[in-house]
Amino acid sequence: MDAGMWLAGGSFEAPASTVRTSGVWHPTGARVRVVAEGEVSALVAGVCRASDGEIGRVARMVAQGRTAAIVTLDGSYWMAVTDLARARTVVAGDLAETRAVYATHTGRGPAWATDVAMLAAQLGCGPDLELLAAQVAVGSAGHWPRRSVWEGIERVPGGHALVLERGTCRTVDVRPRPDSRTMKDGAEEVGSALRGAAQAYAREAGERVSADLSGGLDSSSVVVAAAEVTQVVAVTYGGPLADRVDTDLAERVAQYTGVEHHVSPGGAATAHFLRWPDSLPPAPSMPVSSYALDADYLTPARNVSPLHLTGHGGDVVLESSPAAWTSLVQAGQRRRARAAVTALARRVNQAPGPLWKAVQEAAHGRPRAMARAAEALADNRMLGDGLSAWSWCPVGAASAWLTPLGRETVSRMLDESGSTVGEVDAGEWDDWSALTHNGSVLRDSAPVYVEHGVVQVSPFLDNEVVRACLSIGAGERRQPDVYKPLLALALPYLPAWLVGRNSKGHFGPLLYEGLRTRQQQLHELIDASGLVAAGLVDPAPVHATLTGVVSGTGRHPLPALETFLTTSWWLSRVAAPVTAAGAR
């Protein structure tokens, strides 16, 4: 992301080192364009590939009430449209929320900013410990799309715009919706958008651009596209703890494209949790735990180019989750859904009957599912049958880490979420929850990657790519027997040996190695956790989980453990908030 770039407005009090343009604060030196015509002006910051004329046209549409136009330009950008005649300002980030907008209410009126930590510091806000505990216990932050990790500061969710008018602010849904197009119908638009975004970034980087080449389909397709227009320095994590299939495929892609390729030595010294960043992300972020791994493989990419290409987010936009089957049932396409579930059951060696029953249960809707999850959590019992079915809100082993206070708190939050978010299509809900999660990881980890000497960008998360992919429904993008089928259709020039891959490696060995090596320090981190101090998490079962993982006994919620440890480290680094009486 753009190091040091931020915007703010409303009643926000900007530091003296900033300048003011069109009612929006931004730091000097940031890449900002202002287009004004009469009483309507637009400020655009970030990567926007539109001309000034196109920006002006969109600004007029937004001023006339067609708010959704604000996210229709290509790229990844913030846009603020001010209409002096109507005394109204509309602000939005990108669809994936890699460029986020946050809002709060003060005694002087609403305020908004793109840097949540800076806004929190201005207002004296502390971390939202309840939300952080809920994310550990039940996963998805998509259940609370407007809560940030800072108390009293709201997120403007990806695909939404903030409207400030007459001392008030509200959010408006501007997400593109799936239409009736098939995957085949939409593939050409997806391919054009993806290739165009990757090559635009590559050209912007100059004579050379660095890029991830993990061996997966997403980073490989980006490297293939970028190599057509500039020299690429591709980097791959290697060594004894890497997935050998990934490494081999990365080397084959490098040979196919002729790019400069570096495979890192890897090894035990690159395991998770062995090193912590010097910087503090604005929110807990998983790349904190993999700091040593990233430092290892990114070294050849350090300062090669202004931008570093990644395939981040490709999993989300190219393919939907098994929520697609629930979505089909909700839409009345039961026969198609059952055929897909049966094929999935055969692939994972399960009886199709119980799996189909679970899909039908999920199709009863989100409010019912959230009420059941809230009840299970309050009763301290798990909710799930161990099947490969998708669930609105699985209540798994990590929920047992909560204290009685924690269970009561998170149960109430789930109940409230079920009624406030309400009935939604399962496929769309899961697509957008996963999309904004991926966007938040790219956004929040930016300070960490700056330490590694790279500024990450992902073409898959640009507006035009998100719009093209998510215009194809979840049930259409998901097939039980083909891995990411949309990619092969969208980029037919990719070699068959690449798009024919049906899996992707993982970093499980590095996580296990790090937990084993650093177990003593991690046990100390558990005891010192801010979530434990707040009485929301009982440290004893977390200790038991870590011990069980290290000893190799039983099955344990590894993603939740990594989330808890990363969150606890982050809380240990956050300064105690200064009370600002009357600020909110």
Side-chain angles (χ1 to χ4, degrees), residues 121 203 215 230 247 416 443 471 492 499 508 582:
R203 290 189 180 97
T230 195
T247 306
E416 292 173 352
R443 175 190 74 231
S471 293
V499 295

Side-chain angles (χ1 to χ4, degrees), residues 72-365:
T72 57
L73 299 173
D74 291 354
S76 174
Y77 58 87
W78 292 285
M79 188 171 188
V81 176
T82 301
D83 183 351
L84 295 177
R86 296 177 176 86
R88 181 171 63 209
T89 297
V90 181
V91 187
D94 61 354
L95 293 170
E97 212 179 313
T98 63
R99 302 186 190 276
V101 176
Y102 302 91
T104 191
H105 294 274
T106 75
R108 301 176 300 278
W112 64 269
T114 61
D115 186 328
V116 66
M118 182 179 63
L119 187 56
Q122 286 280 318
L123 300 176
C125 299
D128 186 339
L129 297 176
E130 293 183 351
L131 179 65
L132 293 171
Q135 290 178 354
V136 169
V138 295
S140 177
H143 295 307
W144 305 281
R146 286 180 168 77
R147 284 180 80 156
S148 80
V149 298
W150 296 91
E151 278 191 330
I153 298 178
E154 293 187 350
R155 290 166 49 210
V156 177
H160 289 70
L162 182 71
V163 180
L164 298 101
E165 191 172 19
R166 298 182 179 88
T168 65
C169 66
R170 57 189 171 89
T171 58
V172 177
D173 191 340
V174 294
R175 292 174 293 176
R177 284 303 198 284
D179 51 35
S180 59
R181 74 183 71 181
T182 66
M183 188 156 49
K184 185 176 180 181
D185 293 336
E188 184 177 353
E189 182 181 345
V190 170
S192 176
L194 175 57
R195 191 181 185 200
Q199 293 185 346
Y201 279 125
R203 290 189 180 97
E204 183 179 349
E207 294 182 358
R208 296 202 306 166
V209 66
S210 62
D212 281 355
L213 183 54
S214 69
L217 300 186
D218 305 333
S219 63
S220 296
S221 62
V222 170
V223 167
V224 171
E228 295 178 358
V229 297
T230 195
Q231 297 179 40
V232 177
V233 178
V235 290
T236 302
Y237 177 77
L241 296 179
D243 185 289
R244 188 64 237 178
V245 176
D246 279 355
T247 306
D248 290 345
L249 191 64
E251 290 175 342
R252 190 171 183 183
V253 171
Q255 292 171 0
Y256 173 77
T257 55
V259 302
E260 180 183 332
H261 188 213
H262 301 267
V263 180
S264 76
T270 65
H272 286 37
F273 298 111
L274 292 195
R275 293 173 59 190
W276 298 109
D278 292 327
S279 60
L280 179 64
S285 184
M286 285 299 106
V288 163
S289 64
S290 62
Y291 187 89
L293 179 156
D294 294 328
D296 176 65
Y297 91 92
L298 285 171
T299 297
R302 190 173 186 88
N303 302 321
V304 164
S305 60
L307 303 173
H308 178 80
L309 293 170
T310 78
H312 189 75
D315 287 339
V316 176
V317 296
L318 291 175
E319 188 173 39
S320 62
S321 77
W325 316 142
T326 300
S327 178
L328 289 175
V329 176
Q330 288 178 306
Q333 300 183 50
R334 296 176 63 85
R335 180 176 297 180
R336 184 179 172 192
R338 184 155 195 169
V341 169
T342 299
L344 174 64
R346 288 172 180 160
R347 193 177 74 177
V348 298
N349 198 28
Q350 289 182 354
L355 195 59
W356 175 239
K357 182 179 179 181
V359 171
Q360 289 179 295
E361 172 61 35
H364 284 128

Side-chain angles (χ1 to χ4, degrees), residues 276-277 279-281 288 525 564-573:
W276 298 109
S279 60
L280 179 64
V288 163
L525 182 61
F564 176 82
L565 294 171
T566 303
T567 299
S568 298
W569 173 84
W570 183 79
L571 286 170
S572 73
R573 291 283 309 277

